[in-house]
Amino acid sequence: MIENNSSSSIATGLAGELTDAGHRLLVRVYYADTDFSGLVYHARYLEFLERGRTDYLRLLGVHHSELVDGKLGESIVWVVRRMEIDFKSAARIDDVLTIETRTAEISGARVRMAQAIKRGDDLLISATVEAAMINGAGRPRRFPAEWIKLFQPQSQE
């Protein structure tokens, strides 16, 4: 039984933590993440990276469900516009991975995030992801002005 924890503090723990450079999230590799070779299947890294970006936004106060529900005046969703991934080394079942996410660059309508997946000090994956927001008709939308400051790139660790 968890005592003295509100559901928001539990959610914050599940969402990782904000750091001076951006965000950090720990994940464990499960059997379902691996392929027949026992290594993490390449597409699973995309899911790990997505979790890192989503929880980074969540801790910054940007919630996907609120955006789609019209918090900004209309239904808005995030879309990945571009992604570059370098696979350096493989993860295996039971590894504990660290997903690091930081804002590399932001403009009025796009954000570029730099991400890394590490096992301890070993870099397994490096990625750059460019994302934008669109409305229900598929038209691009600008970020609210307060997001520009919120997402400002931080120094690298």
Side-chain angles (χ1 to χ4, degrees):
M1 177 179 206
I2 299 173
E3 296 179 349
N4 299 324
N5 277 331
S6 68
S7 60
S8 65
S9 67
I10 292 170
T12 299
L14 291 173
E17 63 180 342
L18 292 175
T19 66
D20 289 340
H23 179 261
R24 180 176 27 244
L25 177 69
L26 297 177
V27 298
R28 181 178 307 280
V29 175
Y30 294 107
Y31 180 77
D33 299 320
T34 63
D35 61 18
F36 67 92
S37 71
L39 302 175
V40 171
Y41 181 63
H42 73 279
R44 283 295 210 208
Y45 293 110
L46 296 176
E47 294 177 22
F48 293 151
L49 293 168
E50 176 68 28
R51 288 181 204 172
R53 291 191 309 277
T54 298
D55 284 331
Y56 177 43
L57 294 172
R58 177 177 285 114
L59 292 182
L60 289 176
V62 178
H63 301 273
H64 291 325
S65 56
E66 291 176 350
L67 295 175
V68 80
D69 287 344
K71 181 179 180 177
L72 298 180
E74 64 181 323
S75 182
I76 302 286
V77 295
W78 286 93
V79 292
V80 170
R81 186 174 182 282
R82 179 177 171 80
M83 182 178 282
E84 293 179 29
I85 302 173
D86 289 320
F87 295 91
K88 306 208 182 265
S89 189
R92 298 178 181 278
I93 192 166
D94 290 331
D95 283 350
V96 175
L97 307 178
T98 302
I99 304 163
E100 297 175 347
T101 305
R102 67 177 179 81
T103 303
E105 182 181 353
I106 186 160
S107 67
R110 293 186 203 151
V111 63
R112 192 167 52 86
M113 295 184 188
Q115 293 190 274
I117 298 178
K118 296 179 177 179
R119 179 183 50 233
D121 291 331
D122 296 332
L123 178 64
L124 306 181
I125 303 288
S126 64
T128 303
V129 180
E130 184 178 299
M133 293 190 326
I134 60 171
N135 66 11
R139 292 194 176 93
R141 290 295 179 244
R142 294 184 68 75
F143 297 136
E146 61 270 16
W147 285 12
I148 302 299
K149 183 175 184 196
L150 186 67
F151 290 170
Q152 279 302 312
Q154 302 296 313
S155 64
Q156 292 185 3
E157 290 185 328

